[in-house]
Amino acid sequence: MAAGEVQANSFVRFENVQKSYDGEILVVKDLNLDIPKGEFLTMLGPSGSGKTTSLMMLAGFEPATHGDIYLDGRSINHVPPNKRGIGMVFQNYALFPHMTVAENLAFPLKVRKMGAAEIEAKVQRALEMVELPDMGGRRPAQLSGGQQQRVAVARALVFDPSLILMDEPLGALDKQLREQMQYEIKHIHENLGVTVVYVTHDQAEALTMSDRIAVFNDGVIQQLSTPDDLYERPQNSFVAQFIGENNKLHGKVKKITRNKATVELDNGGEVTADAVNVGGIGSRTTLSLRPERVEIAPKSGSLPNILSGEIKELIYLGDHIRTRMSVAGNDEFIVKVPNSAGNKPLAEGSTVKVGWKAEDCKALDPMAI
Ligand code: ADP
Ligand code: MG
């Protein structure tokens, strides 16, 4: 593709974007990302991984050190924030305390020099979208934290932006309210068809809400995919560890046949796994294995990978029994045993076989032990 030419289905585009605050360290290294119109895309990663910086560059509050950002086919490098037509919600994006809710919502419309009747209609519609139709006359201090955050969402929606950016908007809310708001924001997105770029460090939140997730670490997108693909097919150990629960086993590649690797574990035993991200024979690898894919006491011959482990702790969780084991030197090896009638009772301190399919185990880049 020629420089400056934008992919047809790309609404937001980061092209070779870099950012340094001090002229030395790149906190965003080489960001390339295409977001189609209407998508809910989440930037997910640990603190300091460059998510907010990327969002601020898209909003126009931070200049990129290098590279280009496009919105709807147009380079916006030199477009000031208030001319980008982007709605924004932040964790601590305070409402004006001396204004009523309706006045807060009217503010961005007045700035845009809209007429009074149109402002009133848009404010009311935005309040209905966040299910606060009767709260226009209140001041922010007369609302709960969750209601204030809904008003902040309404304020971002009120001028019909085609793009909304949200940076940890639910971080200050308690768990129950946060989960409720996740669904509400997701439904608003579905109803309006607006494009959303959402930032969070909470992987469960990202999995719940997103069409696609860009997993950030160290200023680099580690993997960009759908929630289920990130969970089922992590491309490296960072993603395997960051998304969902993960059991790690360390070893060396002994053989590679087609897409399968035979791995000799450090503590003895052999495992066959998908060869996702491994070097040649003899190279170190870390295996990734999800807790619900491990079978306890499998029928002999039914699974290609069988090891023994000691049961350290059983936690009854109703629908499953969370079983912490010691397997091949890993004392935090977790197995989720479904609570079904036929299962034999397990005993702490006993040694049992555990087994899993080759395709449920991914051989990835070596993690530090
Ligand atoms: P995240 O949102 O993923 O937590 P940030 O984008 O806020 O990450 O930060 C990425 C890196 O840039 C961090 O090392 C952070 O300390 C640094 N950083 C962020 N904002 C600034 C700033 N205004 N000036 C200098 N350094 C900053
Ligand atoms: Mg941040």
Side-chain angles (χ1 to χ4, degrees):
M1 201 163 52
E5 192 182 319
V6 173
Q7 223 175 298
N9 67 349
S10 164
F11 185 58
V12 173
R13 179 180 180 84
F14 288 87
E15 195 176 273
N16 305 123
V17 171
Q18 299 181 340
K19 176 69 182 179
S20 174
Y21 287 103
D22 60 5
E24 272 183 43
I25 301 164
L26 289 175
V27 298
V28 173
K29 293 201 173 110
D30 183 25
L31 183 60
N32 289 285
L33 176 59
D34 281 299
I35 305 172
K37 203 172 179 66
E39 183 165 71
F40 195 118
L41 180 121
T42 297
M43 296 177 171
L44 169 70
S47 176
S49 57
K51 309 180 296 294
T52 293
T53 300
S54 300
L55 212 64
M56 287 297 134
M57 291 190 286
L58 177 53
F61 296 124
E62 282 292 344
T65 307
H66 177 86
D68 296 288
I69 301 176
Y70 297 88
L71 181 59
D72 207 8
R74 193 162 73 104
S75 166
I76 52 171
N77 286 18
H78 303 290
V79 179
N82 61 334
K83 294 275 178 338
R84 294 187 182 195
I86 298 176
M88 270 169 273
V89 189
F90 302 116
Q91 180 173 333
N92 298 311
Y93 198 50
L95 302 166
F96 299 118
H98 58 287
M99 291 184 188
T100 64
V101 165
E103 286 164 351
N104 265 282
L105 296 191
F107 187 77
L109 304 178
K110 283 190 180 147
V111 171
R112 286 173 172 76
K113 309 234 184 311
M114 225 172 249
E118 197 184 354
I119 289 181
E120 195 179 332
K122 283 195 185 286
V123 166
Q124 195 51 38
R125 200 180 56 118
L127 283 174
E128 275 160 23
M129 270 188 292
V130 297
E131 292 175 35
L132 295 174
D134 305 320
M135 298 288 181
R138 294 217 191 164
R139 288 183 196 280
Q142 295 170 304
L143 301 177
S144 71
Q147 289 171 329
Q148 290 184 32
Q149 202 55 20
R150 273 190 237 187
V151 175
V153 171
R155 186 169 56 180
L157 294 170
V158 76
F159 60 92
D160 299 314
S162 52
L163 175 62
I164 297 185
L165 311 183
M166 301 197 192
D167 193 349
E168 313 256 5
L170 310 180
L173 306 180
D174 64 45
K175 186 170 185 292
Q176 203 181 348
L177 195 53
R178 202 163 67 221
E179 286 172 3
Q180 185 192 335
M181 287 291 292
Q182 288 169 8
Y183 288 109
E184 283 185 23
I185 292 174
K186 189 177 156 81
H187 292 149
I188 289 172
H189 167 257
E190 282 162 8
N191 293 336
L192 298 183
V194 63
T195 310
V196 177
V197 183
Y198 192 96
V199 162
T200 182
H201 65 274
D202 179 340
Q203 54 102 12
E205 184 162 297
L207 293 175
T208 302
M209 302 180 80
S210 318
D211 294 321
R212 284 191 308 163
I213 301 171
V215 183
F216 276 66
N217 192 35
D218 232 353
V220 174
I221 294 182
Q222 303 288 319
Q223 190 170 349
L224 168 66
S225 202
T226 57
D228 67 309
D229 195 49
L230 289 173
Y231 185 81
E232 299 289 346
R233 285 172 286 280
Q235 294 301 304
N236 63 42
S237 286
F238 178 84
V239 174
Q241 192 67 16
F242 201 76
I243 307 267
E245 206 171 3
N246 183 43
N247 289 311
K248 290 176 291 186
L249 296 172
H250 305 282
K252 257 196 232 163
V253 177
K254 187 176 166 190
K255 197 171 89 184
I256 298 180
T257 325
R258 292 204 192 155
N259 59 348
K260 294 283 186 282
T262 306
V263 174
E264 200 173 287
L265 299 180
D266 291 348
N267 290 60
E270 251 181 43
V271 169
T272 307
D274 275 353
V276 177
N277 187 357
V278 288
I281 309 296
S283 62
R284 294 199 57 76
T285 178
T286 299
L287 299 173
S288 158
L289 177 61
R290 302 298 185 188
E292 72 281 10
R293 303 290 159 82
V294 181
E295 204 179 317
I296 288 204
K299 275 200 214 94
S300 67
S302 63
L303 292 168
N305 296 309
I306 307 264
L307 297 175
S308 335
E310 188 192 335
I311 297 178
K312 295 285 191 189
E313 191 180 19
L314 295 166
I315 300 173
Y316 180 82
L317 287 172
D319 62 336
H320 74 274
I321 295 157
R322 190 178 165 80
T323 307
R324 185 168 65 81
M325 305 188 60
S326 177
V327 174
N330 178 353
D331 291 336
E332 297 292 331
F333 191 97
I334 304 295
V335 184
K336 290 182 181 169
V337 184
N339 185 7
S340 43
N343 283 349
K344 285 207 197 85
L346 304 169
E348 286 177 7
S350 65
T351 296
V352 291
K353 299 276 186 223
V354 287
W356 57 87
K357 293 178 187 156
E359 61 266 32
D360 283 335
C361 188
K362 309 294 175 191
L364 303 172
D365 50 306
M367 279 196 118
I369 296 177

PDB file of all heavy atoms in Angstrom, residues 268-300:
ATOM      1  N   GLY A 268      11.170 -33.510  34.407  1.00  0.00           N
ATOM      2  CA  GLY A 268      10.916 -34.857  33.913  1.00  0.00           C
ATOM      3  C   GLY A 268       9.546 -34.960  33.282  1.00  0.00           C
ATOM      4  O   GLY A 268       8.657 -34.168  33.575  1.00  0.00           O
ATOM      5  N   GLY A 269       9.401 -35.883  32.385  1.00  0.00           N
ATOM      6  CA  GLY A 269       8.142 -36.069  31.687  1.00  0.00           C
ATOM      7  C   GLY A 269       8.148 -35.340  30.360  1.00  0.00           C
ATOM      8  O   GLY A 269       8.955 -34.431  30.136  1.00  0.00           O
ATOM      9  N   GLU A 270       7.255 -35.767  29.494  1.00  0.00           N
ATOM     10  CA  GLU A 270       7.173 -35.209  28.148  1.00  0.00           C
ATOM     11  C   GLU A 270       5.758 -34.784  27.849  1.00  0.00           C
ATOM     12  O   GLU A 270       4.804 -35.428  28.280  1.00  0.00           O
ATOM     13  CB  GLU A 270       7.562 -36.298  27.137  1.00  0.00           C
ATOM     14  CG  GLU A 270       8.896 -36.048  26.497  1.00  0.00           C
ATOM     15  CD  GLU A 270       9.248 -37.137  25.489  1.00  0.00           C
ATOM     16  OE1 GLU A 270       8.371 -37.550  24.700  1.00  0.00           O
ATOM     17  OE2 GLU A 270      10.405 -37.563  25.531  1.00  0.00           O
ATOM     18  N   VAL A 271       5.642 -33.702  27.088  1.00  0.00           N
ATOM     19  CA  VAL A 271       4.321 -33.191  26.741  1.00  0.00           C
ATOM     20  C   VAL A 271       4.304 -32.857  25.254  1.00  0.00           C
ATOM     21  O   VAL A 271       5.278 -32.313  24.732  1.00  0.00           O
ATOM     22  CB  VAL A 271       4.002 -31.921  27.573  1.00  0.00           C
ATOM     23  CG1 VAL A 271       2.766 -31.212  27.039  1.00  0.00           C
ATOM     24  CG2 VAL A 271       3.805 -32.281  29.046  1.00  0.00           C
ATOM     25  N   THR A 272       3.210 -33.192  24.578  1.00  0.00           N
ATOM     26  CA  THR A 272       3.032 -32.774  23.187  1.00  0.00           C
ATOM     27  C   THR A 272       2.078 -31.586  23.167  1.00  0.00           C
ATOM     28  O   THR A 272       1.039 -31.608  23.819  1.00  0.00           O
ATOM     29  CB  THR A 272       2.444 -33.918  22.339  1.00  0.00           C
ATOM     30  OG1 THR A 272       3.264 -35.056  22.538  1.00  0.00           O
ATOM     31  CG2 THR A 272       2.433 -33.563  20.865  1.00  0.00           C
ATOM     32  N   ALA A 273       2.468 -30.561  22.421  1.00  0.00           N
ATOM     33  CA  ALA A 273       1.694 -29.319  22.432  1.00  0.00           C
ATOM     34  C   ALA A 273       1.677 -28.713  21.032  1.00  0.00           C
ATOM     35  O   ALA A 273       2.504 -29.066  20.191  1.00  0.00           O
ATOM     36  CB  ALA A 273       2.327 -28.326  23.406  1.00  0.00           C
ATOM     37  N   ASP A 274       0.755 -27.780  20.799  1.00  0.00           N
ATOM     38  CA  ASP A 274       0.790 -26.995  19.566  1.00  0.00           C
ATOM     39  C   ASP A 274       2.067 -26.159  19.561  1.00  0.00           C
ATOM     40  O   ASP A 274       2.328 -25.429  20.524  1.00  0.00           O
ATOM     41  CB  ASP A 274      -0.413 -26.040  19.506  1.00  0.00           C
ATOM     42  CG  ASP A 274      -1.653 -26.712  18.943  1.00  0.00           C
ATOM     43  OD1 ASP A 274      -1.550 -27.867  18.477  1.00  0.00           O
ATOM     44  OD2 ASP A 274      -2.722 -26.074  18.980  1.00  0.00           O
ATOM     45  N   ALA A 275       2.829 -26.234  18.482  1.00  0.00           N
ATOM     46  CA  ALA A 275       4.073 -25.446  18.385  1.00  0.00           C
ATOM     47  C   ALA A 275       3.725 -24.050  17.874  1.00  0.00           C
ATOM     48  O   ALA A 275       3.790 -23.772  16.687  1.00  0.00           O
ATOM     49  CB  ALA A 275       5.061 -26.136  17.450  1.00  0.00           C
ATOM     50  N   VAL A 276       3.322 -23.175  18.793  1.00  0.00           N
ATOM     51  CA  VAL A 276       2.823 -21.856  18.394  1.00  0.00           C
ATOM     52  C   VAL A 276       3.956 -20.864  18.200  1.00  0.00           C
ATOM     53  O   VAL A 276       4.010 -20.135  17.217  1.00  0.00           O
ATOM     54  CB  VAL A 276       1.824 -21.307  19.442  1.00  0.00           C
ATOM     55  CG1 VAL A 276       1.343 -19.902  19.066  1.00  0.00           C
ATOM     56  CG2 VAL A 276       0.634 -22.246  19.578  1.00  0.00           C
ATOM     57  N   ASN A 277       4.876 -20.854  19.154  1.00  0.00           N
ATOM     58  CA  ASN A 277       5.882 -19.788  19.169  1.00  0.00           C
ATOM     59  C   ASN A 277       7.152 -20.344  19.808  1.00  0.00           C
ATOM     60  O   ASN A 277       7.477 -20.039  20.944  1.00  0.00           O
ATOM     61  CB  ASN A 277       5.308 -18.605  19.965  1.00  0.00           C
ATOM     62  CG  ASN A 277       6.173 -17.378  19.915  1.00  0.00           C
ATOM     63  OD1 ASN A 277       7.261 -17.391  19.337  1.00  0.00           O
ATOM     64  ND2 ASN A 277       5.709 -16.307  20.534  1.00  0.00           N
ATOM     65  N   VAL A 278       7.830 -21.225  19.052  1.00  0.00           N
ATOM     66  CA  VAL A 278       9.021 -21.885  19.601  1.00  0.00           C
ATOM     67  C   VAL A 278      10.197 -21.751  18.641  1.00  0.00           C
ATOM     68  O   VAL A 278      10.013 -21.581  17.433  1.00  0.00           O
ATOM     69  CB  VAL A 278       8.781 -23.398  19.871  1.00  0.00           C
ATOM     70  CG1 VAL A 278       7.875 -23.591  21.064  1.00  0.00           C
ATOM     71  CG2 VAL A 278       8.212 -24.099  18.652  1.00  0.00           C
ATOM     72  N   GLY A 279      11.401 -21.804  19.218  1.00  0.00           N
ATOM     73  CA  GLY A 279      12.613 -21.840  18.407  1.00  0.00           C
ATOM     74  C   GLY A 279      12.835 -23.265  17.905  1.00  0.00           C
ATOM     75  O   GLY A 279      11.904 -24.068  17.844  1.00  0.00           O
ATOM     76  N   GLY A 280      14.081 -23.580  17.577  1.00  0.00           N
ATOM     77  CA  GLY A 280      14.388 -24.917  17.054  1.00  0.00           C
ATOM     78  C   GLY A 280      14.535 -25.938  18.169  1.00  0.00           C
ATOM     79  O   GLY A 280      14.250 -25.669  19.340  1.00  0.00           O
ATOM     80  N   ILE A 281      14.974 -27.126  17.767  1.00  0.00           N
ATOM     81  CA  ILE A 281      15.214 -28.206  18.727  1.00  0.00           C
ATOM     82  C   ILE A 281      16.201 -27.712  19.789  1.00  0.00           C
ATOM     83  O   ILE A 281      17.193 -27.072  19.473  1.00  0.00           O
ATOM     84  CB  ILE A 281      15.835 -29.439  18.003  1.00  0.00           C
ATOM     85  CG1 ILE A 281      15.022 -29.824  16.765  1.00  0.00           C
ATOM     86  CG2 ILE A 281      16.011 -30.619  18.960  1.00  0.00           C
ATOM     87  CD1 ILE A 281      13.622 -30.272  17.030  1.00  0.00           C
ATOM     88  N   GLY A 282      15.909 -28.016  21.046  1.00  0.00           N
ATOM     89  CA  GLY A 282      16.802 -27.624  22.142  1.00  0.00           C
ATOM     90  C   GLY A 282      16.459 -26.271  22.742  1.00  0.00           C
ATOM     91  O   GLY A 282      16.975 -25.918  23.806  1.00  0.00           O
ATOM     92  N   SER A 283      15.595 -25.499  22.072  1.00  0.00           N
ATOM     93  CA  SER A 283      15.282 -24.171  22.623  1.00  0.00           C
ATOM     94  C   SER A 283      14.308 -24.288  23.789  1.00  0.00           C
ATOM     95  O   SER A 283      13.511 -25.226  23.870  1.00  0.00           O
ATOM     96  CB  SER A 283      14.719 -23.260  21.543  1.00  0.00           C
ATOM     97  OG  SER A 283      13.521 -23.807  21.042  1.00  0.00           O
ATOM     98  N   ARG A 284      14.377 -23.310  24.675  1.00  0.00           N
ATOM     99  CA  ARG A 284      13.486 -23.323  25.834  1.00  0.00           C
ATOM    100  C   ARG A 284      12.097 -22.830  25.431  1.00  0.00           C
ATOM    101  O   ARG A 284      11.931 -22.019  24.529  1.00  0.00           O
ATOM    102  CB  ARG A 284      14.050 -22.459  26.957  1.00  0.00           C
ATOM    103  CG  ARG A 284      15.351 -23.027  27.527  1.00  0.00           C
ATOM    104  CD  ARG A 284      15.669 -22.483  28.901  1.00  0.00           C
ATOM    105  NE  ARG A 284      14.616 -22.720  29.877  1.00  0.00           N
ATOM    106  CZ  ARG A 284      14.368 -23.899  30.472  1.00  0.00           C
ATOM    107  NH1 ARG A 284      15.110 -24.973  30.182  1.00  0.00           N
ATOM    108  NH2 ARG A 284      13.381 -24.013  31.335  1.00  0.00           N
ATOM    109  N   THR A 285      11.117 -23.379  26.132  1.00  0.00           N
ATOM    110  CA  THR A 285       9.729 -22.984  25.851  1.00  0.00           C
ATOM    111  C   THR A 285       8.929 -23.014  27.146  1.00  0.00           C
ATOM    112  O   THR A 285       9.286 -23.726  28.091  1.00  0.00           O
ATOM    113  CB  THR A 285       9.099 -23.927  24.797  1.00  0.00           C
ATOM    114  OG1 THR A 285       7.738 -23.544  24.571  1.00  0.00           O
ATOM    115  CG2 THR A 285       9.108 -25.373  25.247  1.00  0.00           C
ATOM    116  N   THR A 286       7.874 -22.222  27.174  1.00  0.00           N
ATOM    117  CA  THR A 286       6.913 -22.296  28.279  1.00  0.00           C
ATOM    118  C   THR A 286       5.582 -22.762  27.707  1.00  0.00           C
ATOM    119  O   THR A 286       5.087 -22.197  26.725  1.00  0.00           O
ATOM    120  CB  THR A 286       6.753 -20.928  28.969  1.00  0.00           C
ATOM    121  OG1 THR A 286       8.018 -20.545  29.507  1.00  0.00           O
ATOM    122  CG2 THR A 286       5.732 -20.990  30.094  1.00  0.00           C
ATOM    123  N   LEU A 287       5.051 -23.800  28.316  1.00  0.00           N
ATOM    124  CA  LEU A 287       3.756 -24.326  27.867  1.00  0.00           C
ATOM    125  C   LEU A 287       2.631 -23.603  28.592  1.00  0.00           C
ATOM    126  O   LEU A 287       2.749 -23.286  29.780  1.00  0.00           O
ATOM    127  CB  LEU A 287       3.662 -25.825  28.170  1.00  0.00           C
ATOM    128  CG  LEU A 287       4.699 -26.709  27.502  1.00  0.00           C
ATOM    129  CD1 LEU A 287       4.589 -28.139  28.022  1.00  0.00           C
ATOM    130  CD2 LEU A 287       4.531 -26.679  25.990  1.00  0.00           C
ATOM    131  N   SER A 288       1.563 -23.338  27.854  1.00  0.00           N
ATOM    132  CA  SER A 288       0.387 -22.690  28.428  1.00  0.00           C
ATOM    133  C   SER A 288      -0.794 -23.646  28.336  1.00  0.00           C
ATOM    134  O   SER A 288      -1.045 -24.251  27.293  1.00  0.00           O
ATOM    135  CB  SER A 288       0.102 -21.418  27.628  1.00  0.00           C
ATOM    136  OG  SER A 288      -1.243 -21.036  27.778  1.00  0.00           O
ATOM    137  N   LEU A 289      -1.535 -23.759  29.441  1.00  0.00           N
ATOM    138  CA  LEU A 289      -2.607 -24.752  29.541  1.00  0.00           C
ATOM    139  C   LEU A 289      -3.715 -24.195  30.435  1.00  0.00           C
ATOM    140  O   LEU A 289      -3.457 -23.796  31.565  1.00  0.00           O
ATOM    141  CB  LEU A 289      -2.003 -26.026  30.157  1.00  0.00           C
ATOM    142  CG  LEU A 289      -2.872 -27.218  30.445  1.00  0.00           C
ATOM    143  CD1 LEU A 289      -3.510 -27.748  29.170  1.00  0.00           C
ATOM    144  CD2 LEU A 289      -2.011 -28.325  31.064  1.00  0.00           C
ATOM    145  N   ARG A 290      -4.941 -24.140  29.927  1.00  0.00           N
ATOM    146  CA  ARG A 290      -6.045 -23.559  30.704  1.00  0.00           C
ATOM    147  C   ARG A 290      -6.575 -24.555  31.744  1.00  0.00           C
ATOM    148  O   ARG A 290      -6.702 -25.763  31.440  1.00  0.00           O
ATOM    149  CB  ARG A 290      -7.196 -23.162  29.772  1.00  0.00           C
ATOM    150  CG  ARG A 290      -6.827 -22.179  28.674  1.00  0.00           C
ATOM    151  CD  ARG A 290      -6.363 -20.871  29.221  1.00  0.00           C
ATOM    152  NE  ARG A 290      -6.123 -19.875  28.176  1.00  0.00           N
ATOM    153  CZ  ARG A 290      -5.557 -18.695  28.424  1.00  0.00           C
ATOM    154  NH1 ARG A 290      -5.156 -18.374  29.642  1.00  0.00           N
ATOM    155  NH2 ARG A 290      -5.383 -17.828  27.444  1.00  0.00           N
ATOM    156  N   PRO A 291      -6.946 -24.058  32.927  1.00  0.00           N
ATOM    157  CA  PRO A 291      -7.366 -24.942  34.031  1.00  0.00           C
ATOM    158  C   PRO A 291      -8.574 -25.819  33.736  1.00  0.00           C
ATOM    159  O   PRO A 291      -8.722 -26.886  34.324  1.00  0.00           O
ATOM    160  CB  PRO A 291      -7.709 -23.960  35.158  1.00  0.00           C
ATOM    161  CG  PRO A 291      -6.987 -22.717  34.833  1.00  0.00           C
ATOM    162  CD  PRO A 291      -6.879 -22.652  33.350  1.00  0.00           C
ATOM    163  N   GLU A 292      -9.459 -25.361  32.826  1.00  0.00           N
ATOM    164  CA  GLU A 292     -10.654 -26.178  32.562  1.00  0.00           C
ATOM    165  C   GLU A 292     -10.398 -27.235  31.487  1.00  0.00           C
ATOM    166  O   GLU A 292     -11.274 -28.031  31.184  1.00  0.00           O
ATOM    167  CB  GLU A 292     -11.848 -25.291  32.186  1.00  0.00           C
ATOM    168  CG  GLU A 292     -11.801 -24.648  30.814  1.00  0.00           C
ATOM    169  CD  GLU A 292     -10.910 -23.413  30.747  1.00  0.00           C
ATOM    170  OE1 GLU A 292     -10.171 -23.144  31.719  1.00  0.00           O
ATOM    171  OE2 GLU A 292     -10.931 -22.739  29.709  1.00  0.00           O
ATOM    172  N   ARG A 293      -9.197 -27.261  30.924  1.00  0.00           N
ATOM    173  CA  ARG A 293      -8.876 -28.241  29.885  1.00  0.00           C
ATOM    174  C   ARG A 293      -8.111 -29.448  30.439  1.00  0.00           C
ATOM    175  O   ARG A 293      -7.696 -30.314  29.680  1.00  0.00           O
ATOM    176  CB  ARG A 293      -8.052 -27.580  28.769  1.00  0.00           C
ATOM    177  CG  ARG A 293      -8.719 -26.383  28.123  1.00  0.00           C
ATOM    178  CD  ARG A 293      -9.914 -26.808  27.280  1.00  0.00           C
ATOM    179  NE  ARG A 293     -10.842 -25.700  27.068  1.00  0.00           N
ATOM    180  CZ  ARG A 293     -10.696 -24.755  26.129  1.00  0.00           C
ATOM    181  NH1 ARG A 293      -9.674 -24.804  25.303  1.00  0.00           N
ATOM    182  NH2 ARG A 293     -11.563 -23.787  26.010  1.00  0.00           N
ATOM    183  N   VAL A 294      -7.885 -29.444  31.736  1.00  0.00           N
ATOM    184  CA  VAL A 294      -7.145 -30.546  32.346  1.00  0.00           C
ATOM    185  C   VAL A 294      -8.140 -31.527  32.935  1.00  0.00           C
ATOM    186  O   VAL A 294      -9.088 -31.141  33.609  1.00  0.00           O
ATOM    187  CB  VAL A 294      -6.203 -30.027  33.462  1.00  0.00           C
ATOM    188  CG1 VAL A 294      -5.411 -31.177  34.069  1.00  0.00           C
ATOM    189  CG2 VAL A 294      -5.276 -28.946  32.919  1.00  0.00           C
ATOM    190  N   GLU A 295      -7.900 -32.800  32.642  1.00  0.00           N
ATOM    191  CA  GLU A 295      -8.784 -33.835  33.174  1.00  0.00           C
ATOM    192  C   GLU A 295      -8.066 -34.554  34.312  1.00  0.00           C
ATOM    193  O   GLU A 295      -6.882 -34.901  34.180  1.00  0.00           O
ATOM    194  CB  GLU A 295      -9.128 -34.815  32.048  1.00  0.00           C
ATOM    195  CG  GLU A 295     -10.418 -35.563  32.284  1.00  0.00           C
ATOM    196  CD  GLU A 295     -10.737 -36.509  31.126  1.00  0.00           C
ATOM    197  OE1 GLU A 295     -10.570 -36.110  29.945  1.00  0.00           O
ATOM    198  OE2 GLU A 295     -11.136 -37.642  31.415  1.00  0.00           O
ATOM    199  N   ILE A 296      -8.780 -34.778  35.400  1.00  0.00           N
ATOM    200  CA  ILE A 296      -8.185 -35.516  36.526  1.00  0.00           C
ATOM    201  C   ILE A 296      -8.535 -36.991  36.390  1.00  0.00           C
ATOM    202  O   ILE A 296      -9.662 -37.330  36.027  1.00  0.00           O
ATOM    203  CB  ILE A 296      -8.684 -34.930  37.865  1.00  0.00           C
ATOM    204  CG1 ILE A 296      -8.014 -33.560  38.057  1.00  0.00           C
ATOM    205  CG2 ILE A 296      -8.438 -35.862  39.024  1.00  0.00           C
ATOM    206  CD1 ILE A 296      -7.896 -33.075  39.471  1.00  0.00           C
ATOM    207  N   ALA A 297      -7.540 -37.836  36.633  1.00  0.00           N
ATOM    208  CA  ALA A 297      -7.703 -39.286  36.529  1.00  0.00           C
ATOM    209  C   ALA A 297      -8.350 -39.704  35.202  1.00  0.00           C
ATOM    210  O   ALA A 297      -9.404 -40.347  35.198  1.00  0.00           O
ATOM    211  CB  ALA A 297      -8.522 -39.809  37.717  1.00  0.00           C
ATOM    212  N   PRO A 298      -7.760 -39.312  34.072  1.00  0.00           N
ATOM    213  CA  PRO A 298      -8.348 -39.697  32.786  1.00  0.00           C
ATOM    214  C   PRO A 298      -8.212 -41.202  32.566  1.00  0.00           C
ATOM    215  O   PRO A 298      -7.333 -41.840  33.131  1.00  0.00           O
ATOM    216  CB  PRO A 298      -7.498 -38.928  31.775  1.00  0.00           C
ATOM    217  CG  PRO A 298      -6.188 -38.715  32.444  1.00  0.00           C
ATOM    218  CD  PRO A 298      -6.466 -38.602  33.915  1.00  0.00           C
ATOM    219  N   LYS A 299      -9.092 -41.738  31.733  1.00  0.00           N
ATOM    220  CA  LYS A 299      -8.991 -43.163  31.362  1.00  0.00           C
ATOM    221  C   LYS A 299      -7.648 -43.388  30.691  1.00  0.00           C
ATOM    222  O   LYS A 299      -7.228 -42.577  29.868  1.00  0.00           O
ATOM    223  CB  LYS A 299     -10.094 -43.507  30.358  1.00  0.00           C
ATOM    224  CG  LYS A 299     -11.398 -43.866  31.006  1.00  0.00           C
ATOM    225  CD  LYS A 299     -12.251 -44.658  29.991  1.00  0.00           C
ATOM    226  CE  LYS A 299     -13.720 -44.339  30.173  1.00  0.00           C
ATOM    227  NZ  LYS A 299     -14.225 -43.274  29.325  1.00  0.00           N
ATOM    228  N   SER A 300      -6.994 -44.478  30.982  1.00  0.00           N
ATOM    229  CA  SER A 300      -5.676 -44.679  30.392  1.00  0.00           C
ATOM    230  C   SER A 300      -5.822 -44.807  28.877  1.00  0.00           C
ATOM    231  O   SER A 300      -6.775 -45.401  28.376  1.00  0.00           O
ATOM    232  CB  SER A 300      -4.990 -45.902  30.993  1.00  0.00           C
ATOM    233  OG  SER A 300      -5.677 -47.057  30.618  1.00  0.00           O
TER     234      SER A 300
END
